[in-house]
Amino acid sequence: MSFSPEANSDVPTLPKVHSGIPPYLLDKAREAKQDVFAGRTKAQNARQRLPVVPQGIERDDFLKALDELREQLGAEHVEVNNKPLRDGWYMEHPNTHDMMTILDEEELVASAVVFPGSTQEVQQVVRWANKHLIPIFPISMGRNLGYGGAAPRVRGSVTVDLGRRMNAILDINAEDYTCLVEPGVSYYALYEALKARGLDEHMWIDTPDLGGGSVIGNAVDRGVGYTPYGDHWACHAGLEVVLPSGEVIRTGMGALPGNNSWQLFPYGFGPFSDGIFSQSNFGIVTQMGMTLMPNPGGYEAFMYTFPNDEDLGPLMDIIRPLRISNIFENVAQVRHVTQGLASRGLPRSTYYTSPGPIPSSILRAAAASTPVGDHAWAYYGMAYGPAHIRAHKLALIDSEFRRVPGARKIDPSTLPPDEYFWSRERVARGVPDIQELAWVNWAPNGAHIAFSPVSPIRGADAARLFELGKRRVEAAGFDFMPAFVVGLREMHLIVEIVFDRGDVGSKKAALACLRDLVDEAAAMGYGEYRTHLVLMDQIAGTYGWNDGALMKFNEKLKDALDPNGILAPGRCGIWPKRYRGRGWEMTRESGGRSEGDGVGPA
Ligand code: EUG
């Protein structure tokens, strides 16, 4: 069964392909790929297509403009998107559309993809976009899966794929524990570079659940990892940014010619500008500094399980003081058994074939037959430092967790090497993995989209969010798979809805459910930390204090920095002047349509 040319090819590897898998994960990636294609029934779109031309320019003018860009970048660095859209899979993902599409796949689609090779070429692309009034959408690697992947918000935008040719690790400083990277550097690649230089025992990177993402892209979208350096945005230091005008700036100490502290002191002098380049459309980040963690001299991963759904509240009230005082040192996950079972990688049909949510009895019986055993919640954490330092923290944690009746500490030596626990163990010591993909196979043609509200680390909040999520997700016909990701003083609840992207009804139900979740959570005082392209307008609207004062401020910045509105229009709900008042916002009412009615003059 070959719906996709990728299905029969081998997994691309580093360093041959910048976005490839490192050798130590190749076998695992091959298995993951088999599992993905085993669950795929959706036929690949084989239709030869005309490129979607963005609103505001005629087709002929657009094609002529692309010729001009070919002359500047080289014809091989401009690809028109007129071929059948291919979904591929995690390691061979498209840069033309959202591989996890929740709309019709011709909605959030690029007209062309261009590959600049330097900051100067990014500037050229931006100036070209201004000249022709063509919307561009930068991606680092395009693996923001669950949040829109590589797709542009405005249909027919030209995707600027920064990663393919700008993937250098410009510096690794083993004395200051920092690095400086370009957009095409993945966690996999950074980790491989530390190993190649013999530095992986000396210093650690911090990786998200999956290591294929761009270090820049993830930080700029304020993604999360699982060592003490898990807040990626907080851990960055120094940006180089191409502005929508085509000018280029360096922030912080980078503005001082000849400085040697760009990666050491993020603030420099004057207003701290970095924030406006995160979750925005105010600039294209072409270089970023990142701090790295000294090897702490030892580590010990641990896992506790708790028997009842209702244990969540007491558990969170135990976690909060321990986390804020750094007894819990890393960004930890508290996962529900549904997610635990799905993470074993088998389709839901292995356990249950009727429609509607899996009955708890079936879920719990399935969990009981796994090495971890029956449970409702699992806490995954790690203690760092030499043994005597860890012993103090682990003893405190143990006595606190055991206040929950039925709490069990899982002995890692009882868990087989392919158990999910060991993936969390690797990630918590900065070793990138690919295991997290497994739960996407829960549904046929599995795709995922996240609901990610922020709350205090408090029992009452966790219980309210759990009730909201369970009620809404199950009413929509999906299994509820919550995971709480505990930051320092807050937590992100991550509810991934796994839907069948080959089924229009499944896509519609997932989107409607997300819209309900966002609105109801906002009415309760909760907002999302990050979101998918299709929810950005709605969520930006929930941050509406004082008559939308924050969005008015963002629009002022947008109009000042990008008067032609060429850079990622609509990203994070920020629409340039030429687009405003023309119905571009995606809401419940706009349904599956992503476009508005035209754009205004320059
Ligand atoms: C995950 C984690 C996230 C996120 C989306 C998915 C994976 C969890 C912490 O952030 O935003 C199972």
Side-chain angles (χ1 to χ4, degrees):
M1 178 161 70
S2 174
F3 292 103
S4 170
E6 289 87 1
N8 299 314
S9 61
D10 202 3
V11 181
T13 49
L14 279 169
K16 213 164 73 192
V17 179
H18 77 283
S19 61
I21 199 83
Y24 74 93
L25 287 174
L26 180 56
D27 286 341
K28 204 164 168 179
R30 284 176 174 148
E31 277 176 43
K33 180 172 182 173
Q34 270 185 355
D35 291 347
V36 166
F37 284 98
R40 187 157 303 178
T41 59
K42 175 183 181 246
Q44 282 294 310
N45 180 341
R47 195 152 36 99
Q48 218 39 58
R49 342 167 5 264
L50 284 172
V52 169
V53 174
Q55 291 196 36
I57 184 167
E58 294 302 322
R59 179 170 295 270
D60 283 354
D61 294 335
F62 177 70
L63 296 176
K64 262 185 244 158
L66 281 181
D67 284 338
E68 192 183 307
L69 200 56
R70 283 190 185 91
E71 269 164 42
Q72 290 185 41
L73 302 184
E76 69 276 31
H77 302 312
V78 177
E79 285 177 7
V80 175
N81 182 22
N82 57 4
K83 292 166 269 310
L85 295 176
R86 278 200 211 133
D87 287 350
W89 69 295
Y90 185 72
M91 289 307 302
E92 293 160 274
H93 66 290
N95 54 15
T96 47
H97 66 290
D98 182 5
M99 155 187 150
M100 302 290 183
T101 184
I102 192 153
L103 306 178
D104 184 285
E105 65 187 6
E106 288 286 347
E107 282 293 334
L108 303 175
V109 74
S111 54
V113 186
V114 303
F115 304 92
S118 64
T119 298
Q120 290 71 25
E121 289 194 356
V122 174
Q123 293 175 275
Q124 285 185 345
V125 171
V126 167
R127 295 199 170 110
W128 167 86
N130 274 291
K131 178 179 168 192
H132 300 285
L133 298 178
I134 292 170
I136 57 175
F137 193 91
I139 59 171
S140 295
M141 299 183 70
R143 285 203 177 118
N144 199 17
L145 298 168
Y147 294 121
R153 174 61 181 83
V154 165
R155 192 160 182 263
S157 295
V158 171
T159 296
V160 184
D161 184 332
L162 301 160
R164 187 184 285 184
R165 297 175 66 214
M166 298 172 70
N167 50 48
I169 297 170
L170 300 167
D171 187 43
I172 294 180
N173 188 318
E175 290 169 3
D176 297 331
Y177 297 87
T178 62
C179 64
L180 179 67
V181 295
E182 289 189 320
V185 177
S186 69
Y187 297 95
Y188 294 146
L190 188 55
Y191 178 64
E192 288 296 283
L194 285 188
K195 278 200 293 189
R197 297 178 200 200
L199 290 171
D200 56 312
E201 290 293 319
H202 178 68
M203 61 216 274
W204 291 3
I205 70 165
D206 184 280
T207 174
D209 299 79
L210 285 162
S214 157
V215 175
I216 287 185
N218 186 276
V220 164
D221 212 38
R222 300 202 288 266
V224 172
Y226 299 93
T227 76
Y229 282 42
D231 180 344
H232 291 165
W233 182 247
C235 290
H236 95 284
L239 299 176
E240 180 186 88
V241 184
V242 174
L243 299 177
S245 58
E247 293 152 290
V248 56
I249 62 171
R250 288 186 176 179
T251 67
M253 297 307 295
L256 197 152
N259 85 87
N260 61 0
S261 341
W262 194 17
Q263 273 62 72
L264 308 183
F265 184 61
Y267 308 125
F269 182 75
F272 183 44
S273 332
D274 291 32
I276 66 167
F277 301 113
S278 150
Q279 288 195 7
S280 77
N281 48 17
F282 298 156
I284 302 177
V285 178
T286 47
Q287 291 181 18
M288 185 185 77
M290 195 71 189
T291 52
L292 300 170
M293 179 173 152
N295 183 334
Y299 56 82
E300 183 176 336
F302 59 89
M303 173 181 186
Y304 283 81
T305 63
F306 306 89
N308 307 304
D309 281 358
E310 297 71 33
D311 295 335
L312 177 67
L315 188 54
M316 285 303 172
D317 288 325
I318 288 171
I319 292 172
R320 185 185 58 258
L322 292 173
R323 180 69 183 103
I324 295 176
S325 57
N326 243 350
I327 299 299
F328 286 127
E329 296 160 273
N330 68 329
V331 174
Q333 283 202 2
V334 181
R335 294 188 156 224
H336 193 252
V337 61
T338 325
Q339 179 97 42
L341 199 64
S343 297
R344 306 192 74 78
L346 299 171
R348 164 197 156 97
S349 56
T350 315
Y351 310 100
Y352 191 62
T353 50
S354 306
I358 286 206
S360 174
S361 55
I362 292 186
L363 198 59
R364 300 296 291 264
S369 70
T370 67
V372 167
D374 182 33
H375 64 281
W377 295 102
Y379 183 101
Y380 294 91
M382 187 176 267
Y384 300 87
H388 66 285
I389 305 275
R390 298 198 306 265
H392 167 68
K393 293 178 278 197
L394 288 168
L396 244 173
I397 291 164
D398 194 66
S399 66
E400 285 298 298
F401 271 168
R402 287 190 194 283
R403 286 167 46 203
V404 180
R408 278 195 304 132
K409 182 169 190 178
I410 305 296
D411 177 358
S413 72
T414 65
L415 301 176
D418 60 352
E419 187 65 25
Y420 178 76
F421 170 85
W422 295 112
S423 176
R424 287 247 71 85
E425 190 254 8
R426 286 187 289 275
V427 166
R429 57 186 168 93
V431 178
D433 209 332
I434 192 168
Q435 183 128 356
E436 197 65 44
L437 274 184
W439 48 260
V440 184
N441 299 327
W442 193 244
N445 306 303
H448 59 101
I449 184 165
F451 166 62
S452 322
V454 173
S455 80
I457 312 167
R458 207 179 298 280
D461 293 286
R464 290 170 85 204
L465 283 169
F466 182 79
E467 187 283 324
L468 162 66
K470 186 172 169 68
R471 172 167 43 83
R472 290 283 188 186
V473 170
E474 293 190 349
F478 297 101
D479 294 307
F480 180 49
M481 312 185 171
F484 289 90
V485 177
V486 184
L488 186 56
R489 283 185 170 71
E490 54 70 45
M491 60 190 182
H492 310 347
L493 165 61
I494 306 290
V495 177
E496 289 277 12
I497 295 186
V498 180
F499 60 97
D500 177 352
R501 75 200 134 102
D503 180 90
V504 176
S506 181
K507 296 201 284 189
K508 284 207 162 133
L511 181 54
C513 178
L514 279 157
R515 294 218 180 276
D516 289 340
L517 286 166
V518 169
D519 278 347
E520 193 173 340
M524 294 160 73
Y526 303 113
E528 286 66 46
Y529 92 104
R530 182 182 182 189
T531 198
H532 189 284
L533 293 169
V534 299
L535 296 167
M536 285 175 172
D537 295 306
Q538 184 186 356
I539 288 172
T542 66
Y543 286 80
W545 182 79
N546 192 16
D547 197 22
L550 183 59
M551 184 52 78
K552 288 177 193 168
F553 173 72
N554 286 335
E555 288 177 351
K556 246 184 227 170
L557 287 174
K558 183 66 176 166
D559 293 343
L561 293 170
D562 185 11
N564 292 325
I566 50 100
L567 185 59
R571 180 162 164 72
C572 292
I574 305 164
W575 290 98
K577 199 171 198 155
R578 292 172 57 226
Y579 289 77
R580 293 204 287 271
R582 293 168 180 270
W584 283 86
E585 294 79 6
M586 283 200 79
T587 59
R588 201 184 297 274
E589 293 68 42
S590 61
R593 182 162 188 255
S594 66
E595 290 189 282
D597 299 313
V599 290

